[in-house]
């Protein structure tokens, strides 16, 4: 009878976990403090720990739930008493009646092997191979409950203090202030982090690796920690350029002091996105690191500013539901652009607005426009349309009213959850204006307001001049050559100069060559880059000028120029390879991998090194390299039809990679390879020795 009774008891509180269950708990319980002692074992991909939850009961409850993905629990106590639980694999139900009261406590011990949200990078790689061995988390959505049992709902905010045990010779980064580091034994240390203010669980973060930090202070005295791995110090200045300036600008522009104890930034390998604004601790993709040359082509500045802006918009005030997601992303995108305007100037600001408007208008004109206040919107809607809405709103109500409203909104709802009405109410209060028209046009309208956007853009003289040149795209060259020539007079505007070059694409007249000469002589690296990217056929008259692009301080320009020159002038390939020997390029090794590929496709160039160069190129597909490097290597091996068995095994591993972008690329490449009978036979022979998940996936592809 005892067993039957327990079965019935478990059935009674293991029913369907619904949105009503979540809403009910949020109304009835308030989790105030969560203290977790966590042990991370990277070699086995496991995490275990003890967590203490302190909470207030607002209304009587019969049970409590915690989100817990595929976890095992060895002990669960409520207010010191062991209680019955039900572990569904997604939720841990605690059967306990609690009356309204303060100072309640849940204490539990757990273990897990996270399949997502906490990632273990290169811990299965032999020690003799130099590789980045890291652990990092990504909790956005409702994913933190894969590595720590929490209320994984953004409307539940608590003060988190984390204690993390990890390998002694590594650095651990997390939310809050590092209160102490203790050496537990010869191999393990304990890092103790303390927070002061509440946050949602999706903003919890841990990163561990062989990191070194640079310490700065903002103008207001906030400690800033900028991390890099030990061998990346040469990338520090260009990668983190303007970090302090961005911080100081945003504090001043927003008008509310930075709301957390400190601010940390750490780049990690194979991150899921560009960056993530964990409270006080941004984790971002190592692919955004750059050297001095690469900074001109792509850099971390925008992501740096975007994730920092989230510390106010998203972290300090948090959306209460998905339809208000633009309050996070639209604001972060807008304020990041304001920071970039401060750094790069007005032309940059209006150019980005113009680019976004073009994309939004195209979407709108094809009937695919989206309401800004909606669930399941695209990134273009939440980010760029949201930023445009704020730009228009600021013009409508004026700078003073806009800044006052933002400040009041942040201060009134600090450490709380908000909706769009909360923000609009503050803008109406500060401006004295009725914003119903703005709401209808910009927040609840699928169509992008192209006329309003164009009128705003035309306030910029630069945009007016650019549009005058862009309007000439369909005009014959002889009718517009004087205007294009004037646009190429020094100093040449970056964007207008590029537009001129793009309009010259395919032109072969004497007049076109003269204009190209002016573009080459412009000394503008972006105008010259436009030539490298747009000139499909290199005229003999312009060949010396085009060859000079191999020496520009731009990895993108050199990559495009080397590819085009090698293809069009095979008799001089040896010279081009000599001139570009030793160049690496971005952190994805774009130039080195291209150079190796062209080397292999040029048999007359250093034939004695062909095998060595192939082994290097082939080796870049190995799982311990960043996926951006692997992607480049896979792509070029496909072009020269040179996959070895090891490359195919590495590709199969990549089809199961945690990064969705790389996983999709690898699966599409596998599908292409399977069209080749030789590769298909190779893969069939390899299949029996693949890990189970890869083997099953390949079988599915072979049978489809």
């Amino acid at each position: 009878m005892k067993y039957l009774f327990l079965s019935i008891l478990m059935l009674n509180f293991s029913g369907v976990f619904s949105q009503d269950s979540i809403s009910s708990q949020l109304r009835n319980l308030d989790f105030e403090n969560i203290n977790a002692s966590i042990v991370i074992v990277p070699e086995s991909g496991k995490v275990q720990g003890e967590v203490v939850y302190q909470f207030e009961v607002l209304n009587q409850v019969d049970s409590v739930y915690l989100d817990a993905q595929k976890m095992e629990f060895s002990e669960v106590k409520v207010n010191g008493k062991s209680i019955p639980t039900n572990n569904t694999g997604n939720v841990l139900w605690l059967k306990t009646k609690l009356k309204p009261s303060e100072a309640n406590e849940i204490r539990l011990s757990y273990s897990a092997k996270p399949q997502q949200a906490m990632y273990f990078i290169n811990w299965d790689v032999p020690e003799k191979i130099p590789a980045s061995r890291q652990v990092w988390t990504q909790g956005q959505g409702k994913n933190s409950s894969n590595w720590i049992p929490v209320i994984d709902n953004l409307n539940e905010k608590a003060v988190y203090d984390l204690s993390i045990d990890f390998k002694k010779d590594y650095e651990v980064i997390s939310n809050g202030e590092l209160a102490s580091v203790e050496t537990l034994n010869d191999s393990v240390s304990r890092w103790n982090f303390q927070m002061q203010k509440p946050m949602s669980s999706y903003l919890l973060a841990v990163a561990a690796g062989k990191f070194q930090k640079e310490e700065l202070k903002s103008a207001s005295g906030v400690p800033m920690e900028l991390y890099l791995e030990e061998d990346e110090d040469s990338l520090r200045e260009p990668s983190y350029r303007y970090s302090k300036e961005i911080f100081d600008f945003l504090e001043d522009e927003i008008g509310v002091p930075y709301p957390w104890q400190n601010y940390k930034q750490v780049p990690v390998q194979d991150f899921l996105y560009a960056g993530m604004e964990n409270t006080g601790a941004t984790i971002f993709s190592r692919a955004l690191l750059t050297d001095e040359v690469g900074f001109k082509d792509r850099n971390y500045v925008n992501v740096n500013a975007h994730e920092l802006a989230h510390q106010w918009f998203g972290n300090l005030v948090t959306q209460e539901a998905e339809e208000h997601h633009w309050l996070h992303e639209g604001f972060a995108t807008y304020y990041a652009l304001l920071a970039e305007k401060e750094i790069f100037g007005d032309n940059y600001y209006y150019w980005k607005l113009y680019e976004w408007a073009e994309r939004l208008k195209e979407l709108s004109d094809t009937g695919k426009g989206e309401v800004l206040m909606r669930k399941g919107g695209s990134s273009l809607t939440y980010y760029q349309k949201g930023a445009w809405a704020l730009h228009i709103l600021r013009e409508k109500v004026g700078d003073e009213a806009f800044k006052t409203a933002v400040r009041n909104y942040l201060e009134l709802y600090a450490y709380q959850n908000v909706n769009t009405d909360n923000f609009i109410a503050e803008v109406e209060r500060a401006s004295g204006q009725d914003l119903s028209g703005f709401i209808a046009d910009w927040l609840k309208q699928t169509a992008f307001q192209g006329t309003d956007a164009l009128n705003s853009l035309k306030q910029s003289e630069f945009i007016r001049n650019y549009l005058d040149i862009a309007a000439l795209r369909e005009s014959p060259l002889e009718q517009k050559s004087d205007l294009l020539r004037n646009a190429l007079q020094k100093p040449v505007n970056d964007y207008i100069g590029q537009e001129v070059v793009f309009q010259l694409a395919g032109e072969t007249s004497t007049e076109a060559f003269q204009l190209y000469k002016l573009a080459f002589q412009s000394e503008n690296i972006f105008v010259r880059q436009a030539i490298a990217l747009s000139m499909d056929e290199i005229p003999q008259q312009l060949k010396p000028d085009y060859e000079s692009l191999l020496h520009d301080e731009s990895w993108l320009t050199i990559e495009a120029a080397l590819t085009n020159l090698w293809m069009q002038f095979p008799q001089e390939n040896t010279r081009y390879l000599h001139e570009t020997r030793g160049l690496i390029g971005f952190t994805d090794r774009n130039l080195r991998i291209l150079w190796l590929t062209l080397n292999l496709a040029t048999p007359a160039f250093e034939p004695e090194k062909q095998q060595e160069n192939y082994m290097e190129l082939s080796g870049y597909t190995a799982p311990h390299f960043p996926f951006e490097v692997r992607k480049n290597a896979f792509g070029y091996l496909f072009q020269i039809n040179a996959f070895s068995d090891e490359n195919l095994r590495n590709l199969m591993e990549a089809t199961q990679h945690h990064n969705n972008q790389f996983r999709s690329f690898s699966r599409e490449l596998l599908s292409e390879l399977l069209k080749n009978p030789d590769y298909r036979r190779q893969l069939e022979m390899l299949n029996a020795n693949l890990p189970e998940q890869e083997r099953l996936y390949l079988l599915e592809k072979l049978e489809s």
Side-chain angles (χ1 to χ4, degrees):
M1 285 296 294
K2 179 176 73 172
Y3 299 113
L4 177 60
F5 173 77
L6 285 176
S7 298
I8 294 171
L9 179 66
M10 300 299 282
L11 182 63
N12 284 339
F13 69 96
S14 65
V16 177
F17 186 62
S18 65
Q19 188 64 41
D20 288 342
S21 304
I22 297 170
S23 300
S24 175
Q25 177 152 304
L26 292 174
R27 289 193 304 269
N28 295 328
L29 301 178
D30 180 19
F31 282 76
E32 298 164 332
N33 294 89
I34 298 177
N35 299 292
S37 299
I38 297 169
V39 179
I40 299 174
V41 186
E43 294 88 349
S44 59
K46 292 182 179 179
V47 59
Q48 61 191 47
E50 298 180 354
V51 189
V52 178
Y53 310 79
Q54 296 173 337
F55 63 101
E56 180 180 357
V57 180
L58 305 176
N59 301 293
Q60 182 171 322
V61 296
D62 295 324
S63 62
V64 178
Y65 84 85
L66 297 171
D67 292 295
Q69 308 294 325
K70 298 179 181 178
M71 293 182 176
E72 296 181 359
F73 295 88
S74 57
E75 181 182 55
V76 179
K77 291 184 177 181
V78 176
N79 295 330
K81 297 180 180 180
S82 297
I83 60 164
T85 63
N86 181 38
N87 185 355
T88 70
N90 297 313
V91 173
L92 179 69
W93 283 101
L94 290 70
K95 182 63 176 179
T96 179
K97 287 188 176 181
L98 295 170
K99 295 181 179 180
S101 55
E102 299 179 356
N104 293 278
E105 179 184 280
I106 299 171
R107 185 179 295 267
L108 58 79
S109 299
Y110 76 99
S111 63
K113 191 169 185 178
Q115 300 303 301
Q116 59 177 324
M118 178 175 280
Y119 298 91
F120 301 85
I121 308 299
N122 289 334
W123 293 95
D124 54 352
V125 174
E127 282 292 331
K128 64 182 180 181
I129 295 178
S132 295
R133 293 170 176 83
Q134 301 174 344
V135 175
W136 48 263
T137 60
Q138 169 54 30
Q140 189 164 28
K142 297 183 178 181
N143 293 329
S144 291
S145 54
N146 283 269
W147 63 274
I148 179 173
V150 289
I151 309 298
D152 228 345
N153 185 289
L154 48 77
N155 287 282
E156 181 63 74
K157 291 175 177 280
V159 177
Y160 290 85
D161 292 334
L162 299 185
S163 171
I164 300 166
D165 293 1
F166 197 76
K167 297 173 74 67
K168 180 181 176 183
D169 295 330
Y170 286 73
E171 187 76 21
V172 175
I173 299 102
S174 187
N175 316 93
E177 181 181 354
L178 179 60
S180 63
V181 180
E182 310 167 44
T183 299
L184 301 185
N185 53 47
D186 290 343
S187 60
V188 178
S189 291
R190 175 172 294 163
W191 285 260
N192 297 300
F193 295 92
Q194 295 179 350
M195 291 282 294
Q196 294 176 347
K197 299 294 184 180
M199 66 177 184
S200 303
S201 63
Y202 78 93
L203 297 168
L204 280 167
V206 175
K210 293 281 188 176
F211 296 115
Q212 295 179 337
K213 67 181 175 182
E214 177 185 5
E215 297 183 81
L216 306 173
K217 279 196 175 181
S218 71
S220 59
V222 176
M224 302 173 64
E225 300 174 9
L226 312 179
Y227 288 86
L228 285 176
E229 287 201 314
E230 294 172 338
D231 60 347
E232 296 173 335
D233 199 59
S234 63
L235 306 178
R236 182 177 299 280
E237 192 285 326
S239 294
Y240 282 120
R241 188 173 295 172
Y242 303 120
S243 289
K244 183 179 182 301
E245 290 86 344
I246 292 168
F247 194 106
D248 293 341
F249 170 79
L250 287 178
E251 270 206 314
D252 181 66
E253 172 65 27
I254 293 169
V256 174
Y258 176 76
W260 313 102
Q261 295 148 277
N262 51 26
Y263 187 54
K264 309 161 193 176
Q265 299 178 77
V266 54
V268 299
Q269 180 173 317
D270 294 350
F271 196 54
L272 302 186
Y273 312 109
M276 177 61 201
E277 69 278 9
N278 311 293
T279 303
T282 286
I283 295 176
F284 67 97
S285 170
R286 183 186 179 277
L288 291 168
L289 298 180
T290 186
D291 60 9
E292 181 66 36
V293 174
F295 181 89
K296 302 175 185 68
D297 297 320
R298 61 190 193 210
N299 53 60
Y300 174 54
V301 172
N302 176 263
V303 175
N304 189 341
H306 183 99
E307 306 308 339
L308 178 56
H310 270 309
Q311 300 298 327
W312 288 269
F313 305 103
N315 298 9
L316 176 61
V317 292
T318 307
Q319 68 188 50
E320 66 180 28
E322 187 181 354
E323 58 263 36
H324 306 290
H325 192 50
W326 81 283
L327 295 176
H328 291 198
E329 300 302 348
F331 275 76
T333 302
Y334 175 67
Y335 277 92
L337 185 58
L338 290 178
E340 289 183 289
K341 178 183 179 184
E342 183 75 6
I343 295 166
F344 300 126
D346 285 3
N347 287 359
Y348 179 92
Y349 176 81
Y350 279 103
W351 177 253
K352 297 306 292 186
L353 285 174
Y354 171 76
E355 283 190 320
W356 298 346
E358 287 288 282
R359 292 170 60 198
L360 287 161
K361 188 174 186 304
E362 180 183 2
L363 199 70
S364 179
D365 289 348
T366 57
K368 298 178 181 178
E370 296 178 338
V371 172
L372 188 53
M373 287 177 57
R374 59 165 290 165
K375 296 181 179 180
S378 67
S379 293
L380 183 62
T381 296
Y382 289 138
Y383 289 64
Q384 282 77 30
K385 190 174 183 179
W388 252 109
L390 292 171
H391 170 80
I392 291 293
L393 180 61
R394 187 170 189 159
E395 287 189 341
K396 178 177 176 61
V397 302
D399 277 359
E400 183 178 351
F402 183 85
K403 294 181 76 169
T404 297
V406 169
R407 185 173 63 251
N408 291 344
Y409 162 72
L410 291 172
E411 290 176 345
L412 180 62
Y413 297 105
Y415 310 105
Q416 299 178 55
N417 293 83
V418 292
N419 59 44
T420 301
D421 288 344
N422 299 143
F423 172 65
I424 293 297
E426 294 309 312
V427 183
E428 289 186 330
R429 186 174 293 114
S431 66
Q433 295 186 29
D434 176 7
L435 295 179
S436 56
F438 168 81
I439 294 169
D441 290 344
W442 284 93
L443 305 186
K444 296 184 177 181
Q445 173 65 260
T446 58
F448 180 67
Q449 304 300 301
T451 301
D452 288 352
L454 182 60
N455 290 337
S456 175
L457 288 168
K458 283 186 173 180
Q459 295 179 49
S460 163
E461 181 183 3
F462 149 64
I463 289 292
R464 294 197 300 273
N465 292 337
Y466 172 82
L467 292 174
D468 287 343
I469 295 296
L472 303 173
R473 288 173 184 171
E474 303 303 321
S475 301
L477 182 59
E478 60 270 18
Q479 293 182 13
K480 61 184 178 182
S481 60
D482 288 343
L483 293 172
L484 299 187
R485 185 180 299 274
N486 288 337
L488 290 174
Q489 300 304 308
K490 296 179 184 178
V492 182
N493 178 278
D494 293 347
Y495 311 104
I496 295 175
Q498 290 177 74
E499 174 63 28
V500 170
V501 169
F502 292 141
Q503 290 192 30
L504 292 175
E507 297 282 355
T508 57
S509 66
T510 300
E511 179 64 22
F513 291 164
Q514 291 175 355
L515 291 169
Y516 268 123
K517 285 280 188 181
L518 284 175
F520 275 117
Q521 296 163 10
S522 67
E523 301 177 1
N524 184 302
I525 199 163
F526 300 109
V527 174
R528 289 170 59 87
Q529 185 178 98
I531 300 173
L533 295 172
S534 66
M535 184 178 283
D536 295 328
E537 297 289 335
I538 305 170
Q540 194 67 39
Q541 300 95 315
L542 297 177
K543 181 168 170 283
D545 297 290
Y546 196 94
E547 288 173 339
S548 72
L549 297 173
L550 292 177
H551 305 285
D552 275 21
E553 291 192 345
S554 162
W555 299 138
L556 283 179
T557 300
I558 295 172
E559 180 180 20
L562 176 58
T563 301
N564 291 340
L565 287 165
W566 185 90
M567 293 177 65
Q568 295 186 41
F569 302 105
Q571 70 277 10
E572 300 194 56
N573 283 350
T574 295
R575 176 163 67 89
Y576 300 141
L577 290 172
H578 272 300
E579 286 187 34
T580 54
R581 182 196 301 276
L583 297 180
I584 303 299
F586 299 112
T587 54
D588 64 5
R589 306 188 185 217
N590 66 313
L591 283 176
R592 180 60 181 171
I593 292 174
L594 170 63
W595 190 91
L596 290 168
T597 304
L598 298 181
N599 179 298
L600 293 169
T602 312
F605 182 71
E606 300 181 341
E608 72 281 2
K609 294 185 178 179
Q610 291 261 307
Q611 182 61 24
E612 176 185 335
N613 288 331
Y614 172 75
M615 292 305 293
E616 181 181 348
L617 173 62
S618 176
Y620 286 135
T621 68
H624 68 273
F625 281 105
F627 77 78
E628 302 89 0
V629 174
R630 301 177 67 192
K631 184 178 178 181
N632 279 340
F634 281 133
Y636 282 119
L637 286 169
F638 178 72
Q639 290 187 36
I640 62 174
N641 195 31
F643 277 82
S644 67
D645 283 357
E646 186 64 19
N647 297 144
L648 293 175
R649 280 191 286 268
N650 291 340
L651 180 62
M652 288 309 307
E653 183 275 340
T655 64
Q656 308 303 312
H657 200 274
H658 65 262
N659 182 282
N660 181 64
Q661 175 194 6
F662 183 52
R663 183 172 65 249
S664 297
F665 165 85
S666 302
R667 292 182 173 189
E668 290 172 10
L669 180 56
L670 176 64
S671 295
E672 288 300 312
L673 291 179
L674 287 172
K675 296 175 184 178
N676 182 315
D678 292 333
Y679 284 137
R680 191 177 187 92
R681 282 192 295 271
Q682 264 183 277
L683 286 160
E684 287 173 339
M685 293 176 65
L686 293 172
N687 192 37
N689 295 319
L690 292 175
E692 182 178 11
Q693 195 171 12
E694 297 169 28
R695 183 177 59 80
L696 293 174
Y697 181 73
L698 180 56
L699 280 173
E700 178 186 331
K701 298 297 290 184
L702 288 168
E703 294 171 359
S704 63

